[in-house]
Amino acid sequence: TACSELGKRSAYYLRQYGLHIEDVETLRSEQSGLCAICLTEGFKTREHHHEKLMVDHCHTTGNIRGMLCHNCNRGLGLFADNIERLKRAVRYLEGATTIPQGSRSEAIADRSAVPLN
């Protein structure tokens, strides 16, 4: 059974990414088993999955970039791997002001939000 599972995983990586299972293990080892972005060990998205980290690749070139957790890999995908969008997201987070809970909608619109008493 273990040999069969290893064979399935090997075939998947070869078919999807042109990587041998040893290449995937090398990538994982080079990253100390951690996601290249959030530095966590990741998680399994389904019970039957064997891996906590996913192979990240460029959908345009097919080039392998590293190993990511599901959330970071999905996040890059949702930003369409667009560096300018990601930079705008960073600038947004760096400059964002927090609107106090309970603020009125008109105060939110003119950014003068203050909590309601």
Side-chain angles (χ1 to χ4, degrees), residues 43-98:
F43 57 93
K44 294 180 184 181
T45 56
R46 294 207 163 81
E47 191 173 313
H48 66 276
H49 287 177
H50 296 278
E51 311 295 342
K52 292 182 178 182
L53 297 178
M54 312 171 83
V55 174
D56 176 48
H57 69 288
C58 174
H59 288 265
T60 305
T61 65
N63 292 340
I64 305 301
R65 296 185 284 216
M67 304 287 289
L68 298 178
C69 73
H70 177 74
N71 286 346
C72 290
N73 191 47
R74 183 132 169 89
L76 289 182
L78 290 171
F79 277 97
D81 292 347
N82 184 300
I83 293 171
E84 288 308 312
R85 285 184 190 170
L86 287 163
K87 286 179 180 178
R88 282 195 301 274
V90 168
R91 286 192 301 270
Y92 170 79
L93 287 174
E94 289 174 340
T97 56
T98 306

Side-chain angles (χ1 to χ4, degrees), residues 31 33-42 53 67-69 72-73:
Q31 293 181 203
L34 302 175
C35 171
I37 294 176
C38 70
L39 304 178
T40 67
E41 69 177 24
L53 297 178
M67 304 287 289
L68 298 178
C69 73
C72 290
N73 191 47

